[in-house]
């Protein structure tokens, strides 16, 4: 019972006369110290002390604590107590003594009061209507009000700055509304509050907790909160978040202007209000930037505005990327580019509010600034700026341009930590811009090389009508190795070729050039498609050994390349093809039906030791041939089979010309964001008029030579080509004589009138003729030399049953 009473009445009240004698004693005194009123009244109050009384005890300057004093318990023990003395006065201000309150130091109300009052965190208690009930000393310092000034007043009246959000774009509730929410719902809340104290230009970040205070019945009687300043940690975290955003947001594309724009949009509005990025024209073109030493002192540096972004987009007047921007000598930007150092300009000296900046005290502490920073430039106010950070854009030792971070709408000045953040953002962007520049240069070089190696114009021939298209991959993709070619062959025939090499970039373009040259060389030998691919396969195997790269260079792209080689003969309307791992052509008959190709692609080039299957078809005149690379039919949205079916559907589209059909196919087949290059070669077959072809069987007898000459000259005259009669008579005589003398029967003579007059002599021998220099007294050996001198060209080709010697004359 005594313990329970002691807990219910922990405070003793004592009245002391002016002479220090106890004149009044409460029941709480007996419960606290064990002495009754009879035992204490009339005795000196100092008898209750364990130690000698402190000076002036029990007097104090007005109401307030007399301090910690050990007191004597009736049982001889010591009671640690807190004694508070209140002076008593009578009429006329006559001193009547003191009223003293005594509380046990170790009891909860006393130690808790002292702990809360001396807590370095800001503490406060408010009624459900958010009227102040109590605040500690730290809270008073934060809000610049004493407890007496705010008691009974509403929170919104005392702290109006907490009644609005500093960042309305985040949809944050004002802090006052958060207090009201806890009072209404009884649910505690923990949050970080960012606010700008009255009279300060710098935002402040506090970690706070709000909780309801309930009575014994569980009803909310008050709301309490505590908080501490974590501005330095908060803004350091914001910087890390911004740098993390920059890591994922800058350099997403291999485009110089796009990367510059990414830098501008990343820094606005989280860090600054306006960002401009100026680059040298050489950087925009993918070339090497000029050396700083190339600029003479006093020279104005002219850059191009690659990006500009400000927080208020409706007022943004960002110029185009080609707008020139001049930085005169002596300007901050010119000086930064010349020295390679960043510069911070402030419109005014940072004030006492600097402790609220990105990290306490950094704005006002010059020890944290690099030498020469910050510069105070009051002219910034005329431009509507509160500060500007100018950073040279450098990567791999090269100067690319300059970046300016400006603040317009926010009053806080830049700090030394802001300079570090601006340099970090610029450094990330500089590497990404330089990567984009280097990629642009390599891509442009590869495209230039590839386009120079592709046919600049398709050759003039009558066998087929042709149209072609080549499109490189999208801007984010490297140049591939797709290629095509149209090669006129002997006998009015034509070779249609399409291929694809492995890899991308310059090495792919170079590999494509080597393969195309090899195919043209082998085509001039007039090899059948399967033999040509076999020779090409052997060549690729040798190239793979001879061009084996050393170190970490990229491998050559010929190995694993694909090639489709086809030959069309307008005389016989025969279409012959062979494939080395390449998709087979699509053939559409004049009536719109698909002509199937009963063949299988052989292995890609560079495998070696495997044969290539040759397929021969007879096509009706006007058939449409479509040769293509896999980039046209394969994409992320569809597989190859689906792409081929779609291409077949598009080829049936009625187009006025092959050129228009090429455009239709490319528009329909290629996605907007393609990742691979694509080549398309369309050909519509023609059939040579039978009246433009004449042939004769020749008996293997020298006496048949005059008959062959006369037949040929009569046919040439019948075609109205009398001007060619003499040369025709001469070459027919020579070629037929050689076939009879050195060849084997059967022997056949054929004349073809195409874009040129072609003379062919075939026999069953596989021995190929060759030019030789006849000596002065030799009786023979001059025939082929005469043929070569008198005709536009000559050659030989092997066939399945022998060889054919041919020559061609230009039509008059």
């Amino acid at each position: 019972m005594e313990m329970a009473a002691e807990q219910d009445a922990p405070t003793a009240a004592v009245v002391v006369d002016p002479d220090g004698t106890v004149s009044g004693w409460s029941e709480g005194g007996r419960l606290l110290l064990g002495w009754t009123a009879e035992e204490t009244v009339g005795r000196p109050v100092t008898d209750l002390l364990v130690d000698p009384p402190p000076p002036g005890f029990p007097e104090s300057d007005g109401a307030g604590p007399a301090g910690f004093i050990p007191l004597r318990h009736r049982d001889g023990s010591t009671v640690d107590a807190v004694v508070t003395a209140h002076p008593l006065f009578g009429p006329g201000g006559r001193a009547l003594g003191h009223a003293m309150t005594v509380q046990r130091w170790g009891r909860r109300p006393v130690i808790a009061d002292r702990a809360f009052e001396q807590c370095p965190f800001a503490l406060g208690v408010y009624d459900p209507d958010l009227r102040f009930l109590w605040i500690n000393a730290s809270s008073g310092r934060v809000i610049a009000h004493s407890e007496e000034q705010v008691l009974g007043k509403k929170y919104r009246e005392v702290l109006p700055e907490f009644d609005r959000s500093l960042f309305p774009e985040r949809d944050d509730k004002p802090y006052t509304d958060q207090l009201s929410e806890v009072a209404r719902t009884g649910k505690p809340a923990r949050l970080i509050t960012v606010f700008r104290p009255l009279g300060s230009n710098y935002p402040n970040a506090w970690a706070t907790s709000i909780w309801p205070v309930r009575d014994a019945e569980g009803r909310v009687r008050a709301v309490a909160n505590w908080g501490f300043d974590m501005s330095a940690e908060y803004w350091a975290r914001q910087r890390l978040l911004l740098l993390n955003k920059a890591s994922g947001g800058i350099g997403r594309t291999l485009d110089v202007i796009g990367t510059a724009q990414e830098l501008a949009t990343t820094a606005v509005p989280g860090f600054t209000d306006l960002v401009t990025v100026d680059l040298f024209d050489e950087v925009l073109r993918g070339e090497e930037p000029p050396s700083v030493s190339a600029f003479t002192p006093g020279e104005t540096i002219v850059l191009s505005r690659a990006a500009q972004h400000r927080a208020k987009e409706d007022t943004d007047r960002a110029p185009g990327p080609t707008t020139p921007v001049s930085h005169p000598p002596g300007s901050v930007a010119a000086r930064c580019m010349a020295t390679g150092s960043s510069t911070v300009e402030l419109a005014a000296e940072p004030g006492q509010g600097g402790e609220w900046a990105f990290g306490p005290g950094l704005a006002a502490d010059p020890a944290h600034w690099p030498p020469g920073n910050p510069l105070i430039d009051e002219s910034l106010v005329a431009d509507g700026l509160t500060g500007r950070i100018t950073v040279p854009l450098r990567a791999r030792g090269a100067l690319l341009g300059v970046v300016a971070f400006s603040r317009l709408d926010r009053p806080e000045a830049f700090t030394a930590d802001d300079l570090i953040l601006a340099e970090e953002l610029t450094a990330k962007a500089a590497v990404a811009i330089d990567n984009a520049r280097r990629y642009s240069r390599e891509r442009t070089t590869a495209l230039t090389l590839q386009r120079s190696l592709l046919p600049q114009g398709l050759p003039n021939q009558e066998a087929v009508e042709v149209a072609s298209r080549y499109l490189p991959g999208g801007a984010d993709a490297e140049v591939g190795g797709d290629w095509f070619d149209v090669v006129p062959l002997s006998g009015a025939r034509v070779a249609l070729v399409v291929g694809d090499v492995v890899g991308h970039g310059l090495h792919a373009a170079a590999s494509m050039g080597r393969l195309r040259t090899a195919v043209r060389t082998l085509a001039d030998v007039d090899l059948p498609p399967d033999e040509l691919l076999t020779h090409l396969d052997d060549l690729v195997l040798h190239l793979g050994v001879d061009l084996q790269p050393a170190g970490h260079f990229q491998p050559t792209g010929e190995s694993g390349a694909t090639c489709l080689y086809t030959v069309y003969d307008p005389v016989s309307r025969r279409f012959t093809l062979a494939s080395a791992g390449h998709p087979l052509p699509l053939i559409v008959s004049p009536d719109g039906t698909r002509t199937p190709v009963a063949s299988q692609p052989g292995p890609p080039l560079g495998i070696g030791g495997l044969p290539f299957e040759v397929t021969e078809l007879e096509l009706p005149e006007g058939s449409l041939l479509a040769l293509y690379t896999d980039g046209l039919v394969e994409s992320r949205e569809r597989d190859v089979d689906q792409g081929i079916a779609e291409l077949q559907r598009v080829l049936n589209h009625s187009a006025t010309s092959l050129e228009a059909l090429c455009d239709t196919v490319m528009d329909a087949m290629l996605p907007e964001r393609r990742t691979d290059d694509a080549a398309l070669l369309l050909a519509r077959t023609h059939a040579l008029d039978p009246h433009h072809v004449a042939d004769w069987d020749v008996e293997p007898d020298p006496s048949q030579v005059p008959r062959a000459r006369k037949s040929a000259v009569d046919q040439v005259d019948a075609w109205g080509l009398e001007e060619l009669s003499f040369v025709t008579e001469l070459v027919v005589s020579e070629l037929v004589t050689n076939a009879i003398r050195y060849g084997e029967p059967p022997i056949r003579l054929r004349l073809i009138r195409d874009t040129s007059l072609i003379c062919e002599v075939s026999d069953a021998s596989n021995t190929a003729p060759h030019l030789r220099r006849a000596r002065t007294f030799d009786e023979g050996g001059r025939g082929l030399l005469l043929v070569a001198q008198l005709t536009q060209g000559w050659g030989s080709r092997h066939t399945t049953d022998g060889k054919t010697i041919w020559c061609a004359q230009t039509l008059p």
Side-chain angles (χ1 to χ4, degrees), residues 477-528:
E478 287 189 283
V479 175
D482 292 10
W483 60 280
F484 62 90
D485 207 349
V486 178
V487 184
L489 301 177
S490 63
R493 299 169 304 137
V494 64
L496 306 174
V497 196
V498 65
D500 188 4
V501 304
V502 177
H504 295 84
L506 278 174
H507 81 285
S511 299
M512 178 270 288
R514 285 191 289 266
L515 280 184
R516 179 171 176 264
T517 301
V519 169
R520 270 193 166 269
T521 302
L522 294 172
D524 286 342
V525 183
D526 238 330
L527 296 176

Side-chain angles (χ1 to χ4, degrees), residues 78-314:
T78 300
V79 176
D80 293 331
V82 177
V83 179
T84 305
H86 304 271
L88 302 176
F89 300 96
R94 183 169 58 88
L96 300 179
H98 291 81
M100 303 173 60
T101 57
V102 181
Q103 294 176 302
R104 186 187 297 274
W105 168 252
R107 293 184 57 79
R108 186 174 177 182
V110 178
I111 195 170
D113 284 349
R114 295 303 176 96
F116 291 159
E117 182 64 29
Q118 298 171 19
C119 178
F121 299 160
L123 302 173
V125 182
Y126 321 93
D127 69 12
D129 294 328
L130 302 189
R131 292 185 177 86
F132 280 84
L133 297 178
W134 174 83
I135 61 173
N136 69 348
S138 295
S139 182
R141 288 191 295 271
V142 171
I143 65 176
H145 289 79
S146 65
E147 184 177 12
E148 289 77 11
Q149 291 175 319
V150 300
L151 289 180
K153 294 182 179 180
K154 288 194 172 183
Y155 199 91
R156 285 186 169 89
E157 298 174 6
V158 178
L159 301 172
E161 61 269 28
F162 285 88
D163 207 18
R164 60 181 180 274
S165 175
L166 190 61
F167 303 108
E169 67 275 5
R170 300 180 185 175
D171 295 328
D172 294 338
K173 283 186 178 180
Y175 188 73
T176 306
D177 291 347
Q178 299 275 8
L179 285 171
S180 299
E181 183 77 7
V182 173
R184 183 180 62 84
T185 64
K187 296 180 180 179
R190 297 182 62 183
L191 60 150
I192 296 176
T193 303
V194 182
F195 65 98
R196 183 176 288 113
L198 291 177
S200 173
N201 289 334
Y202 296 90
N204 192 4
W206 279 63
T208 62
S209 288
I210 310 171
W211 67 94
V213 179
R214 304 177 185 273
D215 58 16
E217 286 74 27
R219 290 172 296 187
V220 177
R221 294 296 186 180
V223 177
N225 69 349
W226 68 266
F228 67 91
D229 187 356
M230 57 167 296
S231 298
E233 296 85 352
Y234 177 82
W235 294 119
R237 185 172 184 270
Q238 296 306 305
R239 289 189 203 92
L240 290 176
L241 291 175
L242 187 59
L243 288 174
N244 182 67
K245 178 183 176 183
S247 298
I250 298 177
R252 292 176 297 177
T253 62
L254 290 171
D255 178 72
V256 171
I257 294 178
T259 304
Q261 191 65 31
E262 288 168 352
L263 168 61
T265 55
T266 297
V268 176
F271 173 53
T272 188
D273 304 312
L274 172 65
V275 175
T276 59
V277 183
D278 299 338
L279 301 176
F280 287 104
D281 286 338
E282 290 84 350
V283 176
L284 295 176
R285 295 194 298 264
E287 302 172 3
E288 288 294 330
S291 172
V292 179
S293 59
F295 296 99
T296 59
E299 179 183 358
T300 297
I301 301 178
V302 180
L303 305 178
S304 291
R305 180 62 48 86
Q308 176 174 311
H309 185 71
R310 66 183 302 165
K312 296 183 179 179
E313 290 294 340
D314 55 341

Side-chain angles (χ1 to χ4, degrees), residues 208 435 583 778:
T208 62
N435 288 340
D778 286 349

Side-chain angles (χ1 to χ4, degrees), residues 396-578:
R396 301 178 177 96
L399 178 64
L400 309 178
V402 67
V403 183
F405 302 86
S406 303
R407 284 185 176 169
L408 296 84
D409 304 321
R410 61 186 78 192
E412 62 266 22
F414 282 117
T415 69
D417 279 351
D418 292 337
L419 173 59
I420 296 174
L421 177 60
E423 290 177 334
E424 286 282 348
L425 292 174
T426 304
K428 289 180 179 292
V431 173
I433 289 174
D434 193 51
N435 288 340
R437 177 191 66 82
R438 290 166 177 258
Y439 169 78
S440 176
R441 179 182 61 186
E442 179 175 337
R443 177 179 171 81
T444 301
T445 304
L447 277 175
T448 303
L449 174 61
Q450 187 176 46
R451 292 189 185 279
S452 68
L453 295 174
L454 288 173
Q456 303 303 304
L458 298 179
N460 183 27
Q461 43 79 40
E462 297 294 331
V464 291
E465 174 193 357
V466 292
S468 62
R469 292 291 184 275
Y470 168 78
L471 285 179
D476 294 338
E478 287 189 283
V479 175
D482 292 10
W483 60 280
F484 62 90
D485 207 349
V486 178
V487 184
L489 301 177
S490 63
R493 299 169 304 137
V494 64
L496 306 174
V497 196
V498 65
D500 188 4
V501 304
V502 177
H504 295 84
L506 278 174
H507 81 285
S511 299
M512 178 270 288
R514 285 191 289 266
L515 280 184
R516 179 171 176 264
T517 301
V519 169
R520 270 193 166 269
T521 302
L522 294 172
D524 286 342
V525 183
D526 238 330
L527 296 176
D530 54 337
E531 292 186 29
L532 183 143
L533 290 182
T534 300
H535 283 281
L536 191 63
D537 186 45
D538 292 339
L539 178 64
V540 168
L541 285 173
H542 292 307
L543 284 175
V545 175
D546 297 340
L547 301 179
Q548 185 68 34
H552 300 286
F553 293 101
Q554 287 182 298
T556 58
E558 289 91 344
S559 181
T562 64
C563 181
L564 172 66
Y565 186 82
T566 69
V567 176
Y568 175 68
D569 186 348
V571 176
S572 62
R573 293 185 283 106
R574 305 294 293 179
F575 182 62
T576 310
L577 64 95

